[in-house]
Amino acid sequence: MTSSDDLLDLIQTTPEIDLLLRSSFGFDIHRKHYGDGWRLASGAPLEVIAGESAGGAYFLCAEQNGRRPVVFASSEGEGGLLADDLADALEIIIGLEWRDCLSFSGGGDAEAMQISAQHLERSRGKYNPDIDNEAAQVAAVLSLRILPVADLVVRLHAAAAKTEPEYVVTDDDGQEFGPLFGEHVEPRHGGWS
């Protein structure tokens, strides 16, 4: 297992992987300005490791059993556990339209997430026909696995469901972020097309 620090160093020193993660997968190690002062509700600190263009941020938590869990917090006030370590988080990030899968989860229903993921997978390459090749490139350089979407959804659901109480994010005023699970099961305007 590659440590979080080793993975971040490898991304930093491999410009083509850094660019792919930033441009195709919304994981930008150069956007670390968001989320300063945020912590877990327990008071435990969070280390900002990356941001994304919509204003969200990825954080590493303190080490637990040799792993550093990854938490995501959006600019819309949603936050929670993404994965048990950075390698698992990156596998989800490159293999799944994870934000939309959570948004259209019917409040955290695993079956709704699987259905959403199937719809999202069909349209994944619509705006970037090379997305699967780019994911394979990132996976090869970072020693990640390309997993079936259904398996990634199971992992994502399990992580997000473990957010409370240990991984609830709070801002610098102590306000708690809402859950990553959205209430809808499909887009409101026109459903899945």
Side-chain angles (χ1 to χ4, degrees):
M1 177 173 54
T2 307
S3 78
S4 298
D5 289 338
D6 291 342
L7 279 171
L8 291 169
D9 287 344
L10 192 51
I11 293 166
Q12 181 78 38
T13 59
T14 315
E16 60 275 9
I17 298 305
D18 177 18
L19 178 61
L20 284 176
L21 283 169
R22 182 175 352 125
S23 61
S24 295
F25 302 104
F27 187 87
D28 186 349
I29 62 170
H30 305 284
R31 283 185 185 252
K32 295 182 188 177
H33 57 276
Y34 186 65
D36 286 339
W38 293 1
R39 36 192 353 91
L40 295 176
S42 66
L46 292 171
E47 176 188 343
V48 182
I49 56 169
E52 47 100 42
S53 62
Y58 297 89
F59 302 88
L60 285 176
C61 300
E63 186 173 319
Q64 298 176 8
N65 303 319
R67 302 176 96 180
R68 293 192 68 190
V70 175
V71 168
F72 177 81
S74 78
S75 60
E76 293 86 34
E78 302 146 343
L81 185 64
L82 178 58
D84 290 331
D85 66 24
L86 184 55
D88 286 353
L90 288 168
E91 288 173 355
I92 289 170
I93 290 165
I94 68 170
L96 178 67
E97 296 297 323
W98 70 273
R99 294 273 320 265
D100 287 337
C101 188
L102 286 168
S103 293
F104 303 113
S105 68
D109 179 86
E111 188 174 329
M113 286 179 67
Q114 290 289 355
I115 292 167
S116 294
Q118 291 169 16
H119 288 288
L120 292 162
E121 178 66 13
R122 285 195 289 273
S123 64
R124 180 172 156 96
K126 182 177 181 180
Y127 299 106
N128 181 354
D130 292 328
I131 194 81
D132 291 336
N133 290 333
E134 292 171 352
Q137 279 183 269
V138 171
V141 171
L142 300 181
S143 299
L144 303 173
R145 299 167 294 171
I146 298 291
L147 297 170
V149 168
D151 294 353
L152 292 171
V153 172
V154 168
R155 287 171 46 189
L156 177 62
H157 180 269
K162 289 192 308 189
T163 294
E164 290 188 29
E166 197 171 345
Y167 298 102
V168 173
V169 178
T170 62
D171 65 18
D172 39 8
D173 294 326
Q175 295 292 324
E176 290 187 0
F177 279 60
L180 290 171
F181 293 123
E183 293 301 317
H184 301 288
V185 293
E186 62 182 33
R188 286 182 275 180
H189 304 290
W192 297 111
S193 50

